[in-house]
Amino acid sequence: MEFTEVEPDDRCSCPGCAARRLARSHAARRPVGRPAVHGARRAAVLVAAVGTALGGATSAIAVTPRAAAADSPAPTTPQGEVSGPFGAEAEQPRALQRATTREEIIARAQRWVDQKVPYSMSRYWSDGYRQDCSGFISMAWGLGSSQTTWTLPNFADRIGKDELQPGDALIYNDSSSPQGGSHAVLFGGWTDSSHTRYTAYEQTSPNTIRRSTPYAYWNHSGSYLPYRYRGLAATTDEASFPGLGWFGPGQTNPYVKRLGEMLVARGGGQFYPEGPHSAWSETDRLATQAFQLAQGWRGTEADGLPGKDTWALLVSGRGSAIPAAPLPVPPVPRLPGAPAAPAFPGVDAFGPGKVNAAVSLLGEQLVRKGYGAYYAVGPGAEWTESDRRNVEAFQLAQGWRGTEADGYPGPHTWRLLFG
């Protein structure tokens, strides 16, 4: 049987004909001497151009896109064509891509969160990346171009849910509605030990956000697939402090286990009869507090949550080790007759769509502390942007920056507010 290739109808608007027209236009623009990319795959020319030089002495590795699966649809790219900085047409791979660490990926993602980069499928941010979900992942991974949700998997390996770690991505491609349905988010770590929720870094309207998200996503959950960037470098002990948001009740991630291992090396083995785990527990808090007390710190400096100073001492092996008999924990001073601080309800109590008593309690305490400037009405039981901005103002007043001042209350923020 002989098959004849039919040219796409210029009047047809279906995804198939649109993809074929796009492929035909790419073939027409191809310079003489450049190998053709056959079929509908012409529309998915991939690039591994020179990425951002981060991490100092990170080694250079080749990152070459894999061929897409034969049964994968070839839609029009929902975030625009594969493109280089500021929208220039991408070229074939020419250079080596520098390896990047998980910490660098998360740090780049957080920069867009801090800058509140507006969502756009056609505009490019000052760093050269397209301001949509796939451009955001391309930027975080340090690719030299803005890919699409359909081409990002060519720079990554499929992994299982239980293998997910900060810096990996969750990608959903909708072949029936490629422009309106496809999406991708950056995985920032589990927020519970049952692996039902995680921190997602996401480029969405109106701007980049970081929020607690149900696995795998709010909708089409069963169709999101986890991927790991193939240019990932090994994390080193010299990596900077990952941020306070990785520690505390409900947190499950590699940083918690690394903290426990460093504490054991500094005399904290007495707190870990079964060894450190990736899920945060009261054991981690007590061991951290014992190390902080051994440095002569008191009050909020010895609250059992690792800050930059605690992390720096543990990573470098400096400071006093935990004594064999842990020092007693000094009580937090309170005014006579003052009520006890309410227990922290957990990170899942706060964020978009949350309506509960904890949100009201938080808002009322912010007002008492003098951080209610953004409440035009309220506070109330429904979480709003006013709550987030007031919490952010309080965190910034503590001297925190970046992930430590994202406007979402963690156990440390809660303790200081109600202490």
Side-chain angles (χ1 to χ4, degrees), residues 187-281:
F187 182 83
W190 298 107
T191 61
D192 61 2
S193 58
S194 59
H195 291 189
T196 59
R197 298 187 72 87
Y198 66 98
T199 298
Y201 290 82
E202 181 180 0
Q203 181 65 1
T204 185
S205 181
N207 51 253
T208 323
I209 59 173
R210 173 180 178 266
R211 62 178 172 177
S212 176
T213 302
Y215 187 84
Y217 196 65
W218 304 94
N219 48 40
H220 302 292
S221 180
S223 299
Y224 276 79
L225 300 177
Y227 286 91
R228 176 164 298 158
Y229 175 50
R230 288 190 286 125
L232 197 65
T235 303
T236 65
D237 285 348
E238 288 71 32
S240 59
F241 177 55
L244 187 61
W246 299 104
F247 307 99
Q251 294 297 323
T252 302
N253 57 73
Y255 300 121
V256 173
K257 184 175 182 180
R258 181 62 187 133
L259 172 69
E261 292 169 344
M262 292 191 294
L263 287 166
V264 168
R266 302 305 304 281
Q270 56 195 294
F271 293 92
Y272 295 97
E274 298 179 358
H277 297 279
S278 58
W280 178 272
S281 68

Side-chain angles (χ1 to χ4, degrees), residues 75-91:
T76 53
T77 51
Q79 296 82 35
E81 297 183 36
V82 175
S83 58
F86 305 101
E89 183 181 0
E91 297 183 358

Side-chain angles (χ1 to χ4, degrees), residues 11 29 35 40 43 74 81 93 107 137 156 162 169 177 193 234 240-241 264 268 295 302 327 336 353-354 370:
R11 296 168 297 176
R29 291 198 303 267
E81 297 183 36
I137 301 295
D162 293 336
S177 179
S193 58
S240 59
F241 177 55
V264 168
Q295 313 313 310
L327 298 172
K354 299 297 183 181

Side-chain angles (χ1 to χ4, degrees), residues 42-117:
R42 294 168 185 156
V45 179
L46 305 179
V47 64
V50 178
T52 350
L54 294 172
T58 51
S59 58
I61 61 170
V63 177
T64 305
R66 294 180 313 201
D71 59 351
S72 176
T76 53
T77 51
Q79 296 82 35
E81 297 183 36
V82 175
S83 58
F86 305 101
E89 183 181 0
E91 297 183 358
Q92 294 286 357
R94 290 181 179 179
L96 295 179
Q97 183 80 31
R98 288 193 178 276
T100 190
T101 66
R102 296 188 183 279
E103 289 81 3
E104 290 167 345
I105 291 173
I106 296 299
R108 286 192 287 264
Q110 184 61 44
R111 279 200 292 271
W112 273 33
V113 172
D114 295 339
Q115 295 167 353
K116 295 181 174 58
V117 176

